[in-house]
Amino acid sequence: MRILLDNFSKSFGATKVIENMTLEVGHGEMLALLGPSGCGKSTTLFAICGIHRPTGGRILFGDRDVTDLPSQARNIGVVFQSYALYPHMTVAENIGFPLKVKGMATADIRKEVDRISGLVHIGNLLGRRPAELSGGQQQRVALARALVRKPDVLLLDEPLANLDAKLRLEMRSEIRRIQRETGITAILVTHDQVEAMSMCDRIAIMKEGEIVQIATPAEMYSDPRTAFVAGFLGNPPITFLRGVMANGVFSIPDSEIRVPLPASVAAAEGAKLMLGVRPEHFTPTGDIAVPGKVMFAETQGRENLYDVRLNGGPLLRSIQPVRHDVNIDDAVTWAIDSRNVLVFDDDGRRL
Amino acid sequence: MKTSRMLGLVMIAPAAIMILLFFLMPVVLTGVFSMTNMTTATGISGGAYQIAPHSLNDLKSAMPEIAEQMSQPRYTIDEVGLKAVEGLGLDPGIATELRAKHMGEVFPSRREVERMIKGLDQRPSTPDVKKISEQFNRSVVNSRFSSKEELFSVLDTLGFTLTDGQKNSVADVTYTGWNWTTENFSRIVSSPDMARVLFNTLLYVALVLVLFNTTYAMLLAIWTHYMPSAPATIFRSIWLLPRITPVVIYVLMWKWLAWDTGFISVLMGKFGYEPKNYMLDNAYNAWVFVVLINGFIGASMGMLVFSSALKAIPKSQFFASEVDGASRWQQIRYIILPQMRWPILFVTCYQTLSLLASFNEILLSTRGGPGKATEVWSLAAYHTALNNYAGNLEYGLGAAMALVLVVIGIVLSLGYLRIFNYGTLVSRPLIED
Ligand SMILES: Nc1ncnc2c1ncn2[C@@H]1O[C@H](COP(=O)(O)OP(=O)(O)OP(=O)(O)O)[C@@H](O)[C@H]1O
Ligand SMILES: [Mg+2]
């Protein structure tokens, strides 16, 4: 079911959290709301599920205006950031609760609970209470409870934040699989860009209550509209060089670093620029060689990560296949891949 | 090591002394009093020995002859009597002759002593004989002795021949002080009045507890929970008023409402009803008022406890249940009430104990009336021991009644503590797998 936020605004008293946001999530689509802490992700989600009434604008499910409908009438499943499990109920009772309040027969509830708990691998925990579960187990119970009533819309508020790395990977594909199979429209709130990129059809990046950019993960990565977006996607994150337009190339004053810019970039002579260089575009194989000193080296197993201080002062990050010949304080001359640099103006707008 | 232990003892000493003085001592004293038959009549210090008519009555069944003898007047010619005769202003020869011939003689009856006086050389006139004989009347009835020894020696000089056992029986029946006894408890067990009071107490505790201290308090808590916070605060404060109003004034307002020139009477007067004291008009009304007065005071505590327990339930649970489709009623039924189990139990325990012990609202409103319709245990103990119309305060019985309350309270508290501890024991530890 399509979700449309039409000019949606939300403020708490004098605090304006969201102003005039418009966002459309297509039927069966999974959208990530990605942004730093406090940018209004949960607030948006709460408005969609009817817990917060918007202070302005409309919310539509399909063609139905649900702006003034209470949560109970919206048929949504929500996994809350804090799980919000009922501590006095067993896992089975927690999962079955949405069905119980619908008045479904006990035997049918049990069948549904068994089915859904198998799906999220907690079939063996049904008799326990939430206090007797680990964080990850609680999260899966919350997911099961959100899914059990076959909602039209699934809202996930950081559903994987408390899982260990392996379980997180597993659950990522699990949630995605369930979402695809059920054809449910889903919104995933997260501040983990990897999660957003790997699970969702599209990503909406939020900053201070505004959506900065909506795009598919690949587009968003290769074609960020602002420096903020570029900085938010990618792990390890992008690094920026500050400089000016001089003689048609990007140059950092008081240093030899000169980087030719892609033809599409139009900047006036002398304009202040920011050059975004992703770690994978600063390697021994690029075309613009720059000398520097290794300040920091870290191995991530398959790859190594280096922070290199250039002779002019600025820092670049590099990611390379594992090698053992470079250590901290070594002088290196690696090269920037000038075809893949991202150019921003002084305000962070992409050029 | 040693000094630290000393220090520890010194540190807890004040607390220990406080516990001893203010918690243990009253209970111990109540226990001590409850084992006596102290009343206003016996006093609480030792008593005296008084040969009162009723004590001779008591003696009659065991020692009929001695009782009979002691109830008769006795006449002994002694120095005191002679002095008195000299003071009568009669012929001094009479006293002289009596002293010379009859000193120390004891006459068991008036007739005999008067015959002797008539036979004196001086021949006093008949009215004088009466006057003279009266001076030697040494009847023991209504005489009072401060100790057993004094009693015995007087009995001896008056010529009663008693064995030691008989003397002690006399001492027992004439003793006016208090004795050790367990009679209070058998009276409590067997008296129908006490059964009535017990029933009243159970009714009172149950009605106030169930209707107001828990149910009504819970309604208030839930009701204010769903209100916006400003009006909720106002409502909670209003419901606190009965609690923070001085109880005398609060009850006075109820009395004003109920008495025969009060609000209800005036209102009902408009419909042609005679004014009357609605509170004390009949037992049913009295109960309604007693329950309402105590209920409105008691509900505030439950409301506070329940409200804060409600606040402690994370908001997200309410959000989640709404999203899950639960109506407000289902939210109350499945989310709120199950999580109120401990607060409800706590309020129940606490209020049972305080309802059992408190009687000031009843005392101030109905005084246990009409008749003894609203007399509850603690009020009955108060009436028995400290304040009643008859004026004979039965300290011993009252203490025994109080002790029964104390014992019930301790037993209940221990039971409650067990339940609460059990509660913490059953919450199992976090198990990972
Ligand atoms: N009930 C409220 N009253 C006032 N301000 C609120 C309320 N709820 C949220 N806010 C404010 O709104 C802003 C957005 O909060 P929100 O919870 O949506 O952030 P978020 O993006 O979900 O952050 P996080 O990633 O930390 O969960 C924050 O600045 C927060 O302080
Ligand atoms: Mg949040």
Side-chain angles (χ1 to χ4, degrees):
Chain A
M1 184 169 291
R2 178 192 74 137
I3 305 171
L4 175 65
L5 298 186
D6 180 19
N7 251 326
F8 156 68
S9 306
K10 176 68 193 173
S11 41
F12 297 101
T15 333
K16 288 180 180 161
V17 179
I18 311 272
E19 264 186 285
N20 301 328
M21 175 198 276
T22 297
L23 171 69
E24 181 166 5
V25 189
H27 177 78
E29 186 186 21
M30 184 152 177
L31 178 99
L33 273 184
L34 183 61
S37 188
C39 70
K41 306 182 295 291
S42 297
T43 306
T44 309
L45 214 63
F46 276 22
I48 296 172
C49 63
I51 290 166
H52 291 339
R53 288 294 145 85
T55 36
R58 295 186 308 156
I59 299 172
L60 281 84
F61 284 6
D63 292 327
R64 193 165 58 126
D65 187 340
V66 297
T67 316
D68 294 317
L69 278 189
S71 302
Q72 287 92 335
R74 293 193 188 190
N75 195 30
I76 34 181
V78 183
V79 176
F80 288 89
Q81 197 165 2
S82 57
Y83 328 131
L85 297 178
Y86 311 123
H88 56 288
M89 298 185 196
T90 63
V91 167
E93 286 165 344
N94 264 284
I95 299 174
F97 186 73
L99 304 180
K100 182 175 178 172
V101 297
K102 257 196 226 168
M104 193 186 261
T106 317
D108 297 338
I109 295 179
R110 181 156 335 125
K111 221 180 294 162
E112 281 301 298
V113 168
D114 283 344
R115 182 181 68 79
I116 209 83
S117 58
L119 203 65
V120 296
H121 308 303
I122 47 169
N124 57 332
L125 305 175
L126 290 179
R128 295 212 195 148
R129 287 185 199 282
E132 300 158 0
L133 299 177
S134 71
Q137 291 167 336
Q138 292 185 30
Q139 229 147 14
R140 279 181 284 165
V141 175
L143 184 61
R145 186 180 63 185
L147 288 171
V148 77
R149 64 196 300 219
K150 305 201 174 89
D152 296 329
V153 171
L154 180 64
L155 305 176
L156 305 154
D157 198 348
E158 314 212 5
L160 307 178
N162 288 300
L163 305 189
D164 64 49
K166 181 168 159 290
L167 200 57
R168 188 183 307 209
L169 263 178
E170 206 177 295
M171 288 301 292
R172 253 191 234 161
S173 45
E174 200 70 3
I175 291 177
R176 182 60 163 158
R177 199 201 78 226
I178 294 167
Q179 186 264 334
R180 281 232 172 89
E181 272 174 15
T182 49
I184 212 170
T185 308
I187 297 181
L188 170 77
V189 161
T190 177
H191 47 222
D192 178 349
Q193 42 99 13
V194 181
E195 211 168 279
M197 291 176 76
S198 61
M199 289 172 73
C200 295
D201 299 309
R202 285 195 302 157
I203 297 175
I205 291 199
M206 285 181 72
K207 184 188 179 187
E208 288 161 13
E210 276 177 40
I211 292 182
V212 187
Q213 186 174 0
I214 301 188
T216 63
E219 255 174 48
M220 186 81 90
Y221 188 74
S222 59
D223 192 14
R225 205 173 293 158
T226 67
F228 173 77
V229 174
F232 216 86
L233 289 194
N235 184 28
I238 196 168
T239 44
F240 293 101
L241 298 176
R242 286 181 176 275
V244 292
M245 191 76 171
N247 304 324
V249 296
F250 172 84
S251 57
I252 299 179
D254 308 328
S255 86
E256 269 95 70
I257 297 167
R258 301 280 180 273
V259 184
L261 298 180
S264 59
V265 174
E269 183 73 11
K272 286 186 177 171
L273 296 177
M274 276 203 293
L275 197 66
V277 183
R278 293 207 184 274
E280 63 268 32
H281 299 140
F282 177 58
T283 58
T285 58
D287 54 342
I288 308 292
V290 282
K293 197 167 88 171
V294 175
M295 303 302 291
F296 171 82
E298 178 189 87
T299 182
Q300 295 191 333
R302 210 164 0 93
E303 286 151 339
N304 281 6
L305 187 62
Y306 301 102
D307 282 358
V308 177
R309 172 123 7 240
L310 305 188
N311 291 344
L315 199 80
L316 277 183
R317 196 166 289 134
S318 171
I319 191 160
Q320 301 172 24
V322 165
R323 53 192 283 185
H324 301 289
D325 54 338
V326 178
N327 294 309
I328 289 180
D329 286 344
D330 286 358
V332 292
T333 302
W334 289 333
I336 296 170
D337 180 353
S338 68
R339 280 153 306 156
N340 284 311
V341 293
L342 301 169
V343 188
F344 304 92
D345 69 12
D346 201 36
D347 297 329
R349 266 190 306 272
R350 178 82 181 284
L351 294 175
Chain B
M1 184 64 210
K2 215 170 180 182
T3 56
S4 78
R5 186 174 298 169
M6 269 302 293
L7 196 66
L9 285 177
V10 171
M11 302 279 270
I12 63 163
I17 291 169
M18 295 283 264
I19 287 175
L20 213 68
L21 268 184
F22 297 112
F23 292 78
L24 234 42
M25 279 302 281
V27 175
V28 170
L29 279 180
T30 307
V32 170
F33 275 92
S34 74
M35 300 301 287
T36 71
N37 60 0
M38 283 180 196
T39 62
T40 313
T42 66
I44 55 169
S45 49
Y49 297 85
Q50 178 156 23
I51 305 178
H54 72 87
S55 42
L56 289 178
N57 251 350
D58 291 349
L59 208 56
K60 235 173 217 163
S61 54
M63 301 178 284
E65 283 160 33
I66 291 166
E68 180 55 30
Q69 278 178 29
M70 288 171 84
S71 63
Q72 293 298 319
R74 287 189 152 251
Y75 298 84
T76 307
I77 311 302
D78 54 14
E79 198 49 47
V80 181
L82 291 169
K83 281 260 151 53
V85 172
E86 281 165 0
L88 285 176
L90 304 170
D91 188 333
I94 297 173
T96 319
E97 189 181 358
L98 278 171
R99 186 175 282 123
K101 292 187 184 160
H102 300 284
M103 186 66 175
E105 283 179 19
V106 175
F107 301 87
S109 72
R110 165 178 287 248
R111 206 155 43 88
E112 281 167 64
V113 75
E114 286 187 351
R115 187 189 306 143
M116 179 277 280
I117 294 169
K118 273 187 195 134
L120 286 177
D121 297 345
Q122 296 290 334
R123 296 231 160 241
S125 67
T126 308
D128 288 347
V129 168
K130 263 211 161 52
K131 272 189 202 157
I132 295 163
S133 70
E134 207 41 58
Q135 306 312 313
F136 299 104
N137 186 346
R138 293 292 173 270
S139 170
V140 289
V141 176
N142 289 330
S143 50
R144 194 180 168 90
F145 310 96
S146 56
S147 74
K148 237 184 220 184
E149 288 68 39
E150 200 185 323
L151 168 72
F152 292 163
S153 79
V154 167
L155 287 180
D156 284 342
T157 54
L158 287 180
F160 292 101
T161 46
L162 299 167
T163 65
D164 282 354
Q166 287 171 324
K167 276 184 184 167
N168 278 325
S169 314
V170 173
D172 284 349
V173 295
T174 56
Y175 185 58
T176 62
W178 54 270
N179 285 312
W180 297 106
T181 175
T182 55
E183 205 183 308
N184 296 324
F185 295 99
S186 45
R187 269 176 76 187
I188 287 176
V189 172
S190 60
S191 154
D193 277 356
M194 296 285 181
R196 175 68 214 254
V197 168
L198 183 69
F199 172 79
N200 283 350
T201 311
L202 295 181
L203 188 69
Y204 164 68
V205 172
L207 283 177
V208 176
L209 190 68
V210 172
L211 293 181
F212 282 90
N213 291 352
T214 51
T215 307
Y216 189 62
M218 182 65 82
L219 284 177
L220 286 177
I222 291 176
W223 186 37
T224 51
H225 174 76
Y226 283 114
M227 274 188 190
S229 72
T233 310
I234 294 171
F235 268 95
R236 289 199 194 107
S237 317
I238 290 175
W239 282 109
L240 273 180
L241 282 179
R243 169 101 277 166
I244 56 182
T245 314
V247 67
V248 178
I249 293 171
Y250 178 68
V251 174
L252 204 65
M253 295 198 299
W254 278 94
K255 286 179 116 164
W256 171 81
L257 194 72
W259 70 38
D260 45 15
T261 54
F263 179 77
I264 300 179
S265 286
V266 170
L267 188 73
M268 297 303 278
K270 298 249 184 287
F271 301 100
Y273 290 91
E274 289 288 304
K276 61 182 178 181
N277 186 332
Y278 279 86
M279 190 186 290
L280 292 175
D281 184 54
N282 56 51
Y284 179 80
N285 280 11
W287 271 107
V288 170
F289 277 99
V290 162
V291 170
L292 287 179
I293 291 171
N294 283 279
F296 285 133
I297 295 177
S300 56
M301 178 201 170
M303 180 191 70
L304 288 183
V305 172
F306 298 148
S307 290
S308 52
L310 264 173
K311 277 224 179 74
I313 298 179
K315 271 219 171 73
S316 59
Q317 282 183 39
F318 293 106
F319 295 158
S321 60
E322 276 170 29
V323 165
D324 285 343
S327 65
R328 185 152 291 184
W329 164 243
Q330 285 169 325
Q331 225 172 40
I332 295 171
R333 165 83 184 70
Y334 297 118
I335 310 294
I336 295 181
L337 288 181
Q339 301 194 63
M340 290 286 131
R341 262 181 47 217
W342 292 111
I344 290 173
L345 192 64
F346 167 73
V347 168
T348 305
C349 300
Y350 187 89
Q351 296 282 31
T352 316
L353 294 179
S354 61
L355 281 172
L356 278 177
S358 87
F359 59 84
N360 26 2
E361 291 84 7
I362 302 184
L363 177 69
L364 290 167
S365 54
T366 67
R367 290 189 153 264
K372 289 193 182 265
T374 52
E375 181 106 339
V376 295
W377 197 268
S378 49
L379 181 60
Y382 168 76
H383 277 156
T384 307
L386 298 172
N387 186 323
N388 64 31
Y389 296 117
N392 187 24
L393 305 177
E394 298 177 88
Y395 309 126
L397 183 60
M401 294 178 72
L403 194 68
V404 170
L405 264 194
V406 170
V407 171
I408 291 175
I410 289 174
V411 170
L412 285 180
S413 316
L414 289 179
Y416 293 153
L417 285 178
R418 248 187 95 91
I419 296 173
F420 279 110
N421 274 335
Y422 182 68
T424 56
L425 284 181
V426 288
S427 63
R428 277 177 285 165
L430 190 112
I431 307 159
E432 298 270 351
D433 74 351

